C-alpha cells in the first residue's frame, strides 16, 4: 500500500458491518490480531511502506490507523456522527520512533494534522504528544511487551474551545516490532472525558484460532 486511506469506506468495504473475519486489503499481510476488553479487537497489517491497524468493536468496524515504518502516526479515522479523519500534514513535525522509545523510555511527537469530515476539509490542528514507558512488562501468550502511557493534545491555533485530548495505554515490542494501543481516554475542551477499557488480553498469529476475528474473546455478550 503506497498511499494513505481516504476514508472509513475502505474499512467498511473490506470487512463490512458485523463481519465475522477481517478481509485483508490487497498488497497487505496480516501480522497479528489483538483481543481486548470491552469486545474490542484490532488486526495489525504490514502494507509495505506503512502499517495498517483495523479496529472493531463488538464485530463492527470502529477505527483505522495508518503508521509509518517506525510506528509514527500518519492518519487515524474513527466512526462518529460522520466520517472523521486526521491526516498528518507532510513535513510538519516529528513522528514517533518505536525503537528509540523502547531504548530511551520516552519519546515525543509534534506537527499538524489535517481534519476532514464529509463537510469539513483540511482544517489544521496543531498537536503535541508524549510517550512514556513504565517499568511494568506485560506478557501476552508468551510474548513480553513494555507497557506505557501516551498523551496527545490537539487544537486549532488561535481558536478558543478547540482543544482535543487523547490518552491511552500502549504496549511495545522490539522482538515483534509491534505497537499496540490499549485503553483510551478522549476529551474535548469543556466536556466530560470518556474512558473505554480496551486492555489487551491476548494476541493471535496466523493459523491460530481468533486470528482476523472482529469480535474479541473478552467482554462480548453472547
Amino acid at each position: 500500500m503506497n498511499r494513505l486511506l481516504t476514508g472509513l469506506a475502505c474499512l467498511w468495504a473490506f470487512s463490512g458491518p458485523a463481519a465475522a473475519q477481517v478481509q485483508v486489503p490487497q498488497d497487505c499481510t496480516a501480522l497479528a490480531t489483538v483481543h481486548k476488553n470491552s469486545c474490542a479487537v484490532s488486526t495489525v497489517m504490514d502494507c509495505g511502506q506503512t502499517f495498517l491497524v483495523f479496529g472493531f468493536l463488538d464485530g463492527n468496524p470502529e477505527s483505522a490507523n495508518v503508521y509509518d515504518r517506525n510506528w509514527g502516526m500518519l492518519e487515524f479515522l474513527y466512526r462518529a456522527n460522520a466520517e472523521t479523519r486526521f491526516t498528518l500534514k507532510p513535513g510538519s513535525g516529528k513522528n514517533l520512533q518505536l525503537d528509540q522509545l523502547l531504548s530511551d523510555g520516552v519519546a515525543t511527537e509534534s506537527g499538524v494534522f489535517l481534519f476532514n469530515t464529509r463537510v469539513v476539509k483540511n482544517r489544521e490542528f496543531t498537536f503535541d504528544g508524549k510517550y512514556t514507558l513504565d517499568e511494568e512488562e506485560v506478557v501476552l501468550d508468551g510474548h513480553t511487551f513494555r507497557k506505557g502511557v501516551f498523551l496527545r493534545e490537539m487544537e486549532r491555533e488561535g481558536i478558543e474551545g478547540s482543544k482535543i485530548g487523547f490518552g491511552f495505554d500502549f504496549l511495545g515490542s522490539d522482538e515483534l516490532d509491534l505497537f499496540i494501543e490499549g485503553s483510551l481516554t478522549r476529551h474535548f475542551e469543556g466536556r466530560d472525558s470518556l474512558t473505554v477499557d480496551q486492555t489487551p488480553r491476548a494476541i493471535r498469529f496466523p493459523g491460530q484460532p481468533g486470528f482476523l476475528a472482529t469480535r474479541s474473546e473478552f467482554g462480548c455478550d453472547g
Side-chain angles (χ1 to χ4, degrees), residues 151-170:
L151 300 174
R152 176 187 289 140
E153 295 287 338
M154 306 191 305
E155 66 177 322
R156 290 189 66 198
E157 190 169 0
I159 305 297
E160 185 177 351
S162 65
K163 290 183 179 179
I164 306 172
F166 296 89
F168 56 79
D169 301 330
F170 68 84

Side-chain angles (χ1 to χ4, degrees), residues 1-23:
M1 178 177 289
N2 55 12
R3 59 180 176 82
L4 301 184
L5 298 178
T6 57
L8 268 179
C10 174
L11 178 55
W12 282 89
F14 284 123
S15 298
Q21 190 175 64
V22 180
Q23 299 300 308

Side-chain angles (χ1 to χ4, degrees), residues 18 51-52 76 81 103 111 121 136 141 159 168 174-175 188 201-202 208:
F51 290 111
L52 172 62
F76 64 98
N81 293 325
S103 174
K121 303 301 178 185
E136 182 180 354
D141 300 290
I159 305 297
F168 56 79
D174 187 43
E175 171 202 1
F188 297 87
R201 298 283 301 279
Q208 296 180 335

Side-chain angles (χ1 to χ4, degrees), residues 89-116:
K89 185 176 181 179
S92 67
K94 175 184 178 183
N95 277 2
L96 169 69
Q97 295 193 30
L98 181 60
D99 54 355
Q100 177 194 350
L101 171 62
L102 295 175
S103 174
D104 299 343
V106 64
T108 59
E109 65 171 13
S110 61
V112 175
F113 277 126
L114 302 178
F115 172 66
N116 284 271

